[in-house]
Amino acid sequence: MIKKKIYYLLAYLINFNLYLIKKKYKSKIIHPYNFSFGDTFVFYITHYNLINNQKKKVLIFSNLDKKIAEFFFYKDQIYKLFIFVPKFISVYPLNHFLKKKKYFKIKQNLNIDYTNKIAKKKHKHLLVNILRTNYEQVNSNIKLFKKKKFVLVLIKHNNKDPNDISGSQTRQTADFTKIFLMIKYILKKNLKVVILGNQKDKSVNIIENHLKDKNLFFFKNLSPKQTMIDQLFLHKYSQFGIGNDSGGWIISFFLQKKLFLFDSFMSSNNSLYKKYKNVFLMPKKITYENKTVDLTYKISGKILENKIPYKIIEVPLKQIKKKLKKIL
């Protein structure tokens, strides 16, 4: 209840701030529809030309969107609200409250197609150019990986309950035994493994406490400031990425790298992966009403709403290994 009141207050203050600047900037202010790492990154890369050509100002009010905005744009293209969300408050839940506010609903092009060949080539070129231009800013520890063969691993884990399909838990892995075995399997193939994520991610701490290997590295240790340019470098030079469906893969996605995503669920967002030959999606299975099917957003909603008994089956290690063998 206290958190809800805090988010309500923040949304009110942000909306009031937008009201105060509306006359000065009018239609020059632009911002994502959703504030999360993946959604914000997609918005900026797909609206990059529009923002530059129409001299728009990117709106920021948290460290999350500030970090991504500064990755794409110059400081004079960014407008920082006087209401700035503290680091210890998650921005994502704030979306629910902001969407109800009058002045947050700034017109923006939400129908940009980034799946056609021309768009994919343009977005990849933009990221490669950003890396080339800012190469000197890449951490020296990260640069060492340029000539090494390594795989990126990103695991989403919130709890140990495999049957939890509320919120983002639909895309998490509850069973860590297979994660340990999967990482060991990759290491045996003479490949180095870099675990993505920061110290706040439960999965990163679990893996670091259970696995020790000279070829196992953690992004949080390689890049103390965990900069966007360091992330871009690793995604660019990795062999491929494997793990849960997460916004953390968005850079690899636009660089058109191979991705193996397991324990996910099918939704309108990840159905776009079907247009990308380099993305392999392995969804969870769900058993209910005497049938076993792929877990989808529609099914999970129906089950939770009607309280239908069900059981979730995560993707088995055997199936993950089978996919890995095809590329290894």
Side-chain angles (χ1 to χ4, degrees):
M1 195 65 182
I2 295 176
K3 284 184 178 180
K4 188 175 181 180
K5 288 183 178 179
I6 291 173
Y7 282 119
Y8 181 85
L9 176 61
L10 286 170
Y12 171 81
L13 292 173
I14 289 171
N15 186 62
F16 182 65
N17 196 166
L18 288 171
Y19 164 74
L20 294 176
I21 66 173
K22 68 171 185 174
K23 289 184 178 180
K24 182 178 181 180
Y25 292 103
K26 295 182 180 179
S27 61
K28 287 298 181 182
I29 293 290
I30 192 169
H31 60 74
Y33 184 66
N34 277 313
F35 283 89
S36 68
F37 185 86
D39 291 332
T40 302
F41 193 95
V42 169
F43 182 84
Y44 289 150
I45 196 171
T46 55
H47 287 74
Y48 183 80
N49 287 336
L50 181 148
I51 291 169
N52 283 291
N53 295 338
Q54 297 185 18
K55 297 182 179 179
K56 298 279 189 180
K57 276 191 172 291
V58 175
L59 177 75
I60 62 169
F61 55 82
S62 75
N63 283 287
L64 172 69
D65 42 304
K66 178 177 182 289
K67 191 175 183 178
I68 304 174
E70 291 180 345
F71 175 72
F72 284 106
F73 308 105
Y74 295 107
K75 289 186 178 181
D76 61 355
Q77 293 177 283
I78 301 171
Y79 185 90
K80 181 181 177 181
L81 293 182
F82 69 78
I83 296 300
F84 209 70
V85 181
K87 286 184 178 182
F88 60 86
I89 295 179
S90 175
V91 180
Y92 188 73
L94 189 58
N95 290 309
H96 172 74
F97 298 89
L98 283 172
K99 289 175 183 177
K100 299 177 182 180
K101 299 300 179 182
K102 179 180 179 180
Y103 297 105
F104 184 75
K105 298 175 182 177
I106 299 171
K107 284 187 178 181
Q108 50 192 313
N109 186 0
L110 298 173
N111 299 311
I112 291 179
D113 180 15
Y114 54 87
T115 62
N116 63 66
K117 289 183 178 180
I118 296 176
K120 287 192 287 186
K121 185 177 180 180
K122 179 179 66 177
H123 297 141
K124 181 179 180 180
H125 176 74
L126 172 60
L127 292 179
V128 171
N129 187 55
I130 289 175
L131 179 58
R132 183 173 60 249
T133 305
N134 300 279
Y135 192 83
E136 71 281 357
Q137 296 178 24
V138 178
N139 189 287
S140 57
N141 290 328
I142 299 290
K143 285 180 178 177
L144 294 175
F145 282 81
K146 187 173 184 178
K147 296 182 178 181
K148 300 180 186 296
K149 290 186 177 181
F150 65 97
V151 174
L152 296 180
V153 173
L154 176 58
I155 305 300
K156 191 176 183 68
H157 175 78
N158 296 324
N159 57 57
K160 296 180 181 180
D161 182 7
N163 290 310
D164 186 355
I165 54 173
S166 61
S168 63
Q169 276 68 259
T170 51
R171 294 181 285 125
Q172 77 152 356
T173 291
D175 175 23
F176 250 88
T177 301
K178 74 177 180 186
I179 299 301
F180 298 145
L181 293 173
M182 179 195 80
I183 294 173
K184 288 179 180 179
Y185 176 79
I186 297 173
L187 289 170
K188 287 180 180 178
K189 300 298 179 180
N190 294 319
L191 288 167
K192 298 184 186 303
V193 172
V194 176
I195 307 296
L196 296 176
N198 57 44
Q199 59 275 8
K200 292 182 180 179
D201 293 310
K202 290 183 179 180
S203 62
V204 173
N205 297 318
I206 292 173
I207 295 171
E208 191 170 28
N209 290 331
H210 284 75
L211 291 181
K212 306 293 179 184
D213 192 286
K214 64 179 182 179
N215 290 316
L216 178 62
F217 302 87
F218 294 83
F219 176 68
K220 71 181 183 70
N221 299 331
L222 294 171
S223 176
K225 293 184 179 180
Q226 297 168 31
T227 63
M228 289 291 296
I229 198 67
D230 284 351
Q231 290 184 58
L232 175 57
F233 183 96
L234 289 174
H235 284 277
K236 170 71 169 63
Y237 291 104
S238 66
Q239 300 297 305
F240 61 89
I242 184 168
N244 301 106
D245 184 6
S246 165
W249 292 119
I250 202 66
I251 299 177
S252 274
F253 180 76
F254 281 110
L255 284 173
Q256 299 175 43
K257 306 290 291 188
K258 281 188 171 60
L259 290 174
F260 294 80
L261 309 178
F262 56 81
D263 287 343
S264 183
F265 76 119
M266 299 304 297
S267 68
S268 57
N269 288 333
N270 56 32
S271 62
L272 287 172
Y273 292 150
K274 293 180 180 179
K275 296 184 178 182
Y276 288 76
K277 294 180 180 180
N278 55 319
V279 180
F280 304 90
L281 191 67
M282 295 171 274
K284 297 176 180 178
K285 298 288 185 181
I286 183 167
T287 297
Y288 74 106
E289 296 178 343
N290 298 318
K291 56 185 175 183
T292 300
V293 296
D294 287 344
L295 178 63
T296 67
Y297 180 79
K298 186 177 181 179
I299 291 174
S300 63
K302 173 186 174 182
I303 285 174
L304 292 175
E305 183 179 353
N306 298 292
K307 297 181 180 179
I308 301 172
Y310 67 94
K311 181 181 180 181
I312 295 295
I313 304 171
E314 293 189 347
V315 179
L317 177 64
K318 184 178 180 180
Q319 187 177 338
I320 294 173
K321 279 187 175 181
K322 186 178 179 181
K323 286 286 184 181
L324 278 170
K325 285 181 181 178
K326 289 185 177 181
I327 190 172
L328 294 175

PDB file of all heavy atoms in Angstrom, residues 33 64 114 133 151 216:
ATOM      1  N   TYR A  33       6.667   4.611 -24.554  1.00  0.00           N
ATOM      2  CA  TYR A  33       5.336   4.315 -24.004  1.00  0.00           C
ATOM      3  C   TYR A  33       5.478   3.539 -22.700  1.00  0.00           C
ATOM      4  O   TYR A  33       4.713   3.708 -21.773  1.00  0.00           O
ATOM      5  CB  TYR A  33       4.540   3.496 -25.024  1.00  0.00           C
ATOM      6  CG  TYR A  33       3.114   3.203 -24.596  1.00  0.00           C
ATOM      7  CD1 TYR A  33       2.193   4.251 -24.472  1.00  0.00           C
ATOM      8  CD2 TYR A  33       2.692   1.910 -24.335  1.00  0.00           C
ATOM      9  CE1 TYR A  33       0.890   4.004 -24.084  1.00  0.00           C
ATOM     10  CE2 TYR A  33       1.393   1.657 -23.945  1.00  0.00           C
ATOM     11  CZ  TYR A  33       0.493   2.703 -23.827  1.00  0.00           C
ATOM     12  OH  TYR A  33      -0.798   2.450 -23.442  1.00  0.00           O
ATOM     13  N   LEU A  64      17.592   4.776 -15.265  1.00  0.00           N
ATOM     14  CA  LEU A  64      17.443   3.779 -16.321  1.00  0.00           C
ATOM     15  C   LEU A  64      17.359   4.434 -17.685  1.00  0.00           C
ATOM     16  O   LEU A  64      18.163   4.140 -18.581  1.00  0.00           O
ATOM     17  CB  LEU A  64      16.190   2.931 -16.068  1.00  0.00           C
ATOM     18  CG  LEU A  64      15.819   1.966 -17.198  1.00  0.00           C
ATOM     19  CD1 LEU A  64      16.855   0.856 -17.304  1.00  0.00           C
ATOM     20  CD2 LEU A  64      14.434   1.379 -16.987  1.00  0.00           C
ATOM     21  N   TYR A 114      10.184  -2.551 -37.363  1.00  0.00           N
ATOM     22  CA  TYR A 114      11.630  -2.748 -37.304  1.00  0.00           C
ATOM     23  C   TYR A 114      12.007  -4.186 -37.652  1.00  0.00           C
ATOM     24  O   TYR A 114      13.059  -4.672 -37.293  1.00  0.00           O
ATOM     25  CB  TYR A 114      12.188  -2.363 -35.927  1.00  0.00           C
ATOM     26  CG  TYR A 114      11.553  -3.031 -34.734  1.00  0.00           C
ATOM     27  CD1 TYR A 114      12.006  -4.263 -34.273  1.00  0.00           C
ATOM     28  CD2 TYR A 114      10.513  -2.425 -34.048  1.00  0.00           C
ATOM     29  CE1 TYR A 114      11.444  -4.873 -33.179  1.00  0.00           C
ATOM     30  CE2 TYR A 114       9.938  -3.020 -32.944  1.00  0.00           C
ATOM     31  CZ  TYR A 114      10.406  -4.235 -32.512  1.00  0.00           C
ATOM     32  OH  TYR A 114       9.836  -4.836 -31.430  1.00  0.00           O
ATOM     33  N   THR A 133      32.650   4.723 -32.705  1.00  0.00           N
ATOM     34  CA  THR A 133      32.863   6.106 -32.285  1.00  0.00           C
ATOM     35  C   THR A 133      33.309   6.213 -30.830  1.00  0.00           C
ATOM     36  O   THR A 133      34.088   7.104 -30.469  1.00  0.00           O
ATOM     37  CB  THR A 133      31.565   6.923 -32.483  1.00  0.00           C
ATOM     38  OG1 THR A 133      31.138   6.806 -33.848  1.00  0.00           O
ATOM     39  CG2 THR A 133      31.795   8.390 -32.154  1.00  0.00           C
ATOM     40  N   VAL A 151      30.520 -16.956 -24.836  1.00  0.00           N
ATOM     41  CA  VAL A 151      29.062 -17.018 -24.934  1.00  0.00           C
ATOM     42  C   VAL A 151      28.461 -16.161 -23.817  1.00  0.00           C
ATOM     43  O   VAL A 151      28.960 -16.157 -22.692  1.00  0.00           O
ATOM     44  CB  VAL A 151      28.566 -18.475 -24.783  1.00  0.00           C
ATOM     45  CG1 VAL A 151      27.045 -18.533 -24.744  1.00  0.00           C
ATOM     46  CG2 VAL A 151      29.104 -19.326 -25.929  1.00  0.00           C
ATOM     47  N   LEU A 216      34.890 -18.690 -16.534  1.00  0.00           N
ATOM     48  CA  LEU A 216      33.575 -18.146 -16.200  1.00  0.00           C
ATOM     49  C   LEU A 216      33.749 -16.716 -15.673  1.00  0.00           C
ATOM     50  O   LEU A 216      34.465 -16.485 -14.702  1.00  0.00           O
ATOM     51  CB  LEU A 216      32.891 -19.018 -15.138  1.00  0.00           C
ATOM     52  CG  LEU A 216      31.524 -18.544 -14.645  1.00  0.00           C
ATOM     53  CD1 LEU A 216      30.503 -18.525 -15.789  1.00  0.00           C
ATOM     54  CD2 LEU A 216      31.030 -19.451 -13.511  1.00  0.00           C
TER      55      LEU A 216
END
